Amino acid sequence: MCKTPRQNALPKIKLKMRDHTPLREVARTLFFAYRQRSLVGLALMIAQAFFYNAIFFTFALVLTDFYGIAANQIGWYILPFRRRPISWGRVAWPAVRHALDAAS
């Protein structure tokens, strides 16, 4: 027996728009309803902050102490780690970044 697309459709839900979400509801959701997910998210954010700081604050020290790079040249070694493409004016050049990454 074939079902029509109307019979396979998901049930409709109604969404109620509100102008703000009370902080009590946010706290109840984070600390009671989804406690484990909140703790995993918090652990991931702490780990990311730790590793980001550990890498970028010691990167210059490693380059100068172990590789003999001059302090005024360190910026060129950090440049490939930029999060945004290099841009001039309103035109972005992601290909230039990839070329710099490949050259290093």
Side-chain angles (χ1 to χ4, degrees):
M1 180 174 203
C2 278
K3 291 185 176 183
T4 64
R6 185 87 167 139
Q7 292 172 333
N8 288 336
L10 296 173
K12 291 186 177 184
I13 60 171
K14 288 191 176 198
L15 300 176
K16 188 169 35 169
M17 193 168 103
R18 54 187 177 187
D19 58 352
H20 73 283
T21 302
L23 288 178
R24 181 180 299 158
E25 187 174 340
V26 173
R28 184 180 27 203
T29 302
L30 287 175
F31 299 122
F32 296 107
Y34 296 106
R35 180 187 312 230
Q36 190 171 4
R37 288 183 187 184
S38 299
L39 291 175
V40 168
L42 181 64
L44 289 172
M45 286 189 285
I46 290 170
Q48 183 211 8
F50 174 76
F51 288 121
Y52 178 85
N53 290 333
I55 289 169
F56 283 103
F57 288 136
T58 60
F59 189 57
L61 293 173
V62 170
L63 287 175
T64 56
D65 293 346
F66 295 107
Y67 292 102
I69 305 297
N72 61 352
Q73 297 294 314
I74 297 296
W76 292 108
Y77 291 88
I78 296 177
L79 187 63
F81 294 110
R82 287 178 47 102
R83 290 187 178 181
R84 289 178 280 149
I86 300 171
S87 62
W88 291 276
R90 298 182 70 185
V91 179
W93 295 89
V96 173
R97 177 177 177 215
H98 293 301
L100 288 174
D101 288 344
S104 60

